[in-house]
């Protein structure tokens, strides 16, 4: 039986390991388009500010895949899925058939239409490759503009401040607009960040960016012009669904799955940040972001691909640490 897994993040790796744990004879092919062995994405900020060394960011290696009997295809991208032929197609047009398929392609921060024309001036911040390039840039950069919401934005701000960078945070609303259920903060999060030396501009947004005198000049809706060495901006976190185009898998924002992580197409499963799953509390579908969710979903998907019957238990919160203080975010309300 051949199990093919698209996406070598924690969801894909966990599924691959789970399948081999319960069926040593299964053929498992794991495909990842990044050029590195899978690493701990949640440590990227600590890697950026040098508190985590290169070797500690990786939790896999060539030996890891050899020991587990997983065929890892590194730096290869899947462009198409044909559910009728039960096969996938790589970017280089090779076709590989599957008995069971898992889509674990994750997601990433994306720009809305208003910022897309300025994409070349904006530093992306999701992959190890992004952070390696950023580390070079930060050697000579002092002023950073950050615009965006969510936990990884707060994480980035923490990392930049710990490197002594001046951080200007441009945010659309006066208060954080993602649901937090528990924090140790006495004050609001913006006030807390201001006390950590972050300059915060609220009720505003970036409308244009130009390159001038070796810096970037950022123009805002409220007619401010701010010069910076690095600009980070994103509007939305979106599942990576390119390889599902042309395939009849049902989707909303993400791939729709049931509690056993089955998609609408037989023998195709999905797990991690690319899926939308029914939440009985809100009686609707929702994307459950986060490392623990993706890990658990990878395990559940792997077991179900082997014919077991295991249900994913929805986790309500994602634990997070900001400048040493814990907070828990809730992804639905
Ligand atoms: C800076 C930062 C800090 C974070 N901190 C935390 C934290 O403190 N706590 C927490 O719970 N979560 C945190 N997260 C989020 C967490 O890392 C993600 O939720 C988790 O990595 C999702 O795992 P995944 O396997 O679903 O997807 P991903 O990790 O995104 O992996 C999917 C992989 O699939 C690849 N891929 C996509 N399409 C294709 C294709 N067509 N062919 C081949 N490969 C493809 C992608 O390049 C990627 O490598 C953080 C994220 C970031 C960026």
């Amino acid at each position: 039986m051949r199990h093919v897994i698209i996406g070598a993040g924690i969801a894909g790796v966990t599924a691959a390991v789970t399948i081999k744990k319960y069926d040593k004879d299964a053929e498992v092919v794991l495909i990842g388009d990044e050029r590195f062995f899978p690493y701990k994405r949640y440590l990227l900020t600590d890697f950026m500010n040098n508190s985590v060394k290169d070797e500690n960011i990786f939790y896999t290696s060539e030996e890891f895949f050899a020991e587990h009997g997983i065929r890892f295809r590194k730096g290869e991208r899947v462009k198409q899925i044909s559910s009728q032929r039960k096969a996938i197609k790589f970017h280089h047009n090779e076709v590989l058939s599957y008995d069971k398929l898992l889509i674990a392609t994750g997601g990433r921060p994306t720009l809305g239409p208003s910022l897309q024309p300025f994409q070349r001036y904006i530093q992306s911040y999701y992959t190890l490759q992004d952070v390696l390039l950023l580390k070079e840039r930060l050697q000579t950069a002092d002023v950073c503009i950050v615009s965006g919401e969510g936990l990884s934005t707060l994480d980035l701000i923490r990392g930049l401040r710990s490197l002594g960078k001046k951080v200007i945070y441009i945010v659309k609303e006066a208060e954080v607009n993602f649901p937090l259920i528990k924090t140790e903060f006495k004050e609001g999060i913006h006030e807390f960040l201001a006390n950590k030396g972050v300059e915060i501009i609220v009720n505003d947004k970036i409308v244009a960016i130009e390159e001038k005198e070796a810096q970037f000049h950022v123009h805002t809706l409220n007619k401010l012009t701010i010069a910076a060495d690095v600009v980070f901006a994103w509007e939305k976190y979106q599942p990576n669904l390119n390889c599902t185009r042309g395939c009849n898998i049902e989707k909303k924002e993400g791939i729709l799955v049931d509690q056993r992580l089955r998609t609408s197409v037989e023998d195709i499963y999905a797990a991690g940040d690319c899926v939308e799953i029914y939440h009985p509390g809100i009686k609707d579908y929702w994307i459950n972001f986060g490392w623990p969710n993706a890990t658990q979903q990878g395990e559940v998907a792997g077991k179900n691909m082997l014919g077991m019957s295991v249900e994913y238990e929805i986790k309500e919160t994602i634990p997070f640490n900001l400048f040493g203080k814990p907070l828990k975010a809730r992804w639905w309300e």
Side-chain angles (χ1 to χ4, degrees), residues 6-11 31-34 41-42 45 76-78 104-108 125-126 152 155 240 243 272-273 289-292 294 318-320:
I6 311 174
I10 188 63
I31 304 156
D33 62 357
E34 295 189 58
R41 200 178 295 286
Y42 66 89
T45 299
E76 298 191 45
R77 189 168 180 77
V78 174
T105 48
R108 62 185 58 222
Y125 189 70
Y126 192 73
S152 41
D155 196 46
N240 294 319
C243 66
D273 283 6
F289 294 109
W291 188 269
I318 168 171
F320 193 78

Side-chain angles (χ1 to χ4, degrees), residues 5-14 30-36 38-46 59 73 75-80 89-91 103-109 125-127 131 151-153 155-156 158 234 237 240-244 271-275 288-295 297 317-321 331:
I5 300 170
I6 311 174
I10 188 63
V13 173
T14 307
L30 174 68
I31 304 156
D33 62 357
E34 295 189 58
R35 64 181 177 90
F36 304 100
Y39 53 88
K40 296 177 185 166
R41 200 178 295 286
Y42 66 89
L43 285 184
L44 281 180
T45 299
D46 291 323
Y59 65 98
R73 299 188 55 163
E76 298 191 45
R77 189 168 180 77
V78 174
K79 70 170 174 189
Q80 220 178 326
K89 196 185 246 185
F90 288 86
H91 251 256
I103 305 169
T105 48
R108 62 185 58 222
Y125 189 70
Y126 192 73
T127 65
V131 174
L151 290 179
S152 41
T153 311
D155 196 46
L156 169 64
R158 165 187 75 85
W234 43 80
Y237 192 86
N240 294 319
L241 302 182
N242 281 355
C243 66
T244 65
D273 283 6
C274 66
V275 314
N288 277 4
F289 294 109
W291 188 269
N293 279 309
T295 310
Q297 289 189 3
T317 59
I318 168 171
F320 193 78
N321 193 302
W331 293 110

Side-chain angles (χ1 to χ4, degrees), residues 226-266:
I226 312 156
D229 302 306
V230 187
V231 180
F232 302 87
W234 43 80
E235 266 157 0
K236 214 172 169 195
Y237 192 86
Q238 257 184 335
N240 294 319
L241 302 182
N242 281 355
C243 66
T244 65
R245 267 194 224 138
C247 178
N248 53 349
I249 294 176
E250 280 175 22
K251 293 165 261 182
K252 275 175 77 188
E253 284 280 304
I255 299 168
L256 292 171
V257 293
D258 66 8
Q259 301 279 116
R260 283 158 68 185
L261 305 181
R262 294 175 298 193
T263 69
S264 59
V265 175
E266 207 178 344

